[in-house]
Structures are given as structure tokens and as C-alpha cells.
């Protein structure tokens, strides 16, 4: 079966760096997405990786290793507004998105 | 105004009632989706449509039906609601022309079935 694994919850301190991991087993691979979702709100797109390596976008970076079925989202200079759930999703060989359950990130002052 | 609009935003209903959730978009995207979100679970795809004449079942379509009335409108119906359909429902769109297939979500419709 297809599976996306990510930690359920993480806690970090304002101003620090946090890395949220995602491992996947899917039928084929056509890209990996990270979305941010604040409580009670819609998910919003953060990043897309289809090739191995690091994609940097401001304070957020996303890394992909296709051979390991692994990605991480790196958040630097954490701010209180970064408190949210972070959703990992993989597009399989049929171009269908398979979603992880999300990682709830709690930022403490 | 939001590019992807869902109505109603909140609805409480009783078991056995018919419910319709509506979605409209001004993004001009061909592709529209209905997802369900439950606590502790990933988003689950209910139905998707790549154009007005194309409707496809997702992974959890049982108990649901959809209608694509126009490119901009995609409705989700629960013919006879049951309590385990209590969830947060999201409509989303994507642009066929974009390489990433990024999804744009509506604000969500919270449905409670008593």
C-alpha cells in the first residue's frame, strides 16, 4: 500500500530552527509537496520537489532524496505565526496526491 | 474575496438528511477536487473532475456524489448523511498547465451529522 509518515507533533522555540521529516512509500513518484495549515484554515502551498536536493524559499527549505523515499522541511528563524500543521504529500504514478496526516508544530516563546 | 469559495462554511444536520456543499472558483482552473479531513488522518480524496464532462471517484466516494455544473462550480452531495460523515470538507482547484500541480483550497466546510 501507499504510505506517508511524518511525526504527529513537534515543539520548537521562537527564533530557532526545526526540521520536519517525511518518509514515503508510493506507487511511483511525480513530486513531493509541503503545505502549511493553520488551525481551522485551508492548507496553503509551501514547496514542491521533484528532483533530489534542496529547494530554498526564504526562511523555508525543502529537501528530497528519491532513493531514500525521504524529504524534510526546514524552518529557520521560527516565528510564533509558524505554529501550524505541516502536510507532506506525494504525487504517485497516476498523478494522484497521497497525503500524510500532518505534523503539528508548536512554537514556544 | 477568496478565489475558491465554499458554502456553507458550517452546517449541522441530522442523520438521513440530504446535504449539498457548494464550491465555486474564479481562478479559471479546469481541475476541481473534493477532500475530506478528519483529525489524525491525511486529506482523503472524495471526487475529482478534470473538466465539466469528466468526473472521477476518489479513494472514499461511497456515500457521496458530485456535480460539475460549470467550469467554475463543483458541488458535493451527501444523499443520506450519517454521523461518520462528520468532518471538515475542502474543495480545491489546480491548473492543468502548471508543472507542479499545486492545489488551491477553499476555506473549508465543517459538517456535523447528529
Amino acid at each position: 500500500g501507499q504510505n506517508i509518515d511524518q511525526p504527529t507533533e513537534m515543539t520548537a522555540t521562537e527564533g530557532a530552527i526545526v526540521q520536519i521529516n517525511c518518509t514515503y512509500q508510493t506507487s511511483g513518484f511525480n513530486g513531493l509537496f509541503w503545505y502549511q495549515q493553520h488551525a481551522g484554515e485551508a492548507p496553503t502551498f509551501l514547496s514542491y520537489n521533484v528532483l533530489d536536493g534542496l529547494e530554498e524559499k526564504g526562511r523555508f527549505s525543502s529537501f528530497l532524496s528519491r532513493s531514500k523515499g525521504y524529504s524534510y522541511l526546514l524552518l529557520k528563524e521560527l516565528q510564533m505565526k509558524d505554529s501550524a500543521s505541516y502536510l507532506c504529500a506525494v504525487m504517485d504514478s497516476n498523478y494522484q496526491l497521497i497525503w500524510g496526516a500532518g505534523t503539528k508544530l508548536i512554537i514556544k516563546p | 474575496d477568496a478565489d475558491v469559495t465554499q458554502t456553507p462554511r458550517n452546517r449541522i444536520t441530522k442523520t438521513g438528511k440530504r446535504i449539498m456543499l457548494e464550491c465555486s472558483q474564479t481562478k479559471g482552473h479546469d481541475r476541481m477536487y473534493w477532500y475530506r479531513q478528519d483529525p489524525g488522518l491525511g486529506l482523503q480524496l472524495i471526487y475529482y473532475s478534470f473538466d465539466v464532462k469528466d468526473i472521477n471517484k476518489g479513494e472514499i466516494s461511497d456515500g457521496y456524489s458530485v456535480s460539475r455544473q460549470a467550469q467554475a462550480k463543483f458541488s458535493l452531495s451527501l444523499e443520506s448523511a450519517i454521523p461518520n460523515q462528520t468532518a471538515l470538507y475542502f474543495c480545491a482547484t489546480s491548473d492543468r498547465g502548471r508543472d507542479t500541480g499545486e492545489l488551491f483550497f477553499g476555506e473549508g466546510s465543517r459538517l456535523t451529522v447528529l
Side-chain angles (χ1 to χ4, degrees):
Chain A
Q2 307 202 89
N3 195 48
I4 309 286
D5 285 319
Q6 48 181 136
T8 301
E9 186 174 297
M10 298 181 70
T11 302
T13 304
E14 190 177 16
I17 299 172
V18 70
Q19 177 175 311
I20 302 174
N21 296 324
C22 171
T23 58
Y24 63 89
Q25 290 178 306
T26 57
S27 303
F29 180 84
N30 281 299
L32 185 144
F33 297 78
W34 285 97
Y35 283 78
Q36 181 190 59
Q37 185 178 23
H38 286 100
E41 298 183 7
T44 54
F45 172 81
L46 286 178
S47 68
Y48 170 74
N49 294 70
V50 66
L51 299 175
D52 289 351
L54 188 68
E55 295 278 344
E56 296 186 80
K57 190 183 296 185
R59 293 188 299 115
F60 292 9
S61 302
S62 57
F63 172 82
L64 175 67
S65 169
R66 289 173 294 171
S67 63
K68 295 182 179 179
Y70 168 69
S71 173
Y72 67 72
L73 181 68
L74 191 71
L75 291 74
K76 302 176 184 176
E77 301 169 14
L78 286 170
Q79 302 175 9
M80 297 304 293
K81 68 178 181 179
D82 297 330
S83 292
S85 289
Y86 292 85
L87 313 181
C88 175
V90 173
M91 188 170 284
D92 69 11
S93 58
N94 295 318
Y95 293 91
Q96 296 299 315
L97 275 176
I98 311 302
W99 294 84
T103 299
K104 182 179 181 180
L105 178 63
I106 300 168
I107 309 296
K108 295 185 175 180
Chain B
D1 288 341
D3 294 324
V4 184
T5 303
Q6 294 182 228
T7 56
R9 295 291 311 281
N10 288 283
R11 181 72 183 269
I12 300 174
T13 191
K14 294 182 179 180
T15 296
K17 295 292 188 181
R18 184 177 187 273
I19 296 297
M20 178 179 285
L21 306 180
E22 298 185 338
C23 177
S24 62
Q25 52 114 348
T26 58
K27 300 191 74 67
H29 289 170
D30 292 320
R31 301 179 174 190
M32 299 188 73
Y33 310 78
W34 276 104
Y35 281 95
R36 166 178 173 157
Q37 188 174 45
D38 296 279
L41 297 179
L43 287 163
Q44 295 175 280
L45 183 62
I46 306 172
Y47 271 94
Y48 62 102
S49 169
F50 283 177
D51 65 41
V52 175
K53 296 181 180 179
D54 176 74
I55 303 289
N56 303 281
K57 293 182 177 180
E59 56 191 303
I60 58 160
S61 59
D62 287 349
Y64 302 93
S65 62
V66 291
S67 173
R68 184 82 183 266
Q69 300 96 323
Q71 186 203 36
K73 295 183 182 296
F74 193 36
S75 299
L76 176 71
S77 293
L78 288 69
E79 296 301 326
S80 180
I82 56 176
N84 77 358
Q85 292 178 312
T86 293
L88 183 59
Y89 291 86
F90 285 104
C91 174
T93 72
S94 68
D95 183 355
R96 176 178 52 189
R98 287 178 67 93
D99 293 339
T100 66
E102 172 190 351
L103 293 176
F104 296 84
F105 287 84
E107 295 165 306
S109 297
R110 185 169 297 280
L111 176 66
T112 302
V113 184
L114 302 176

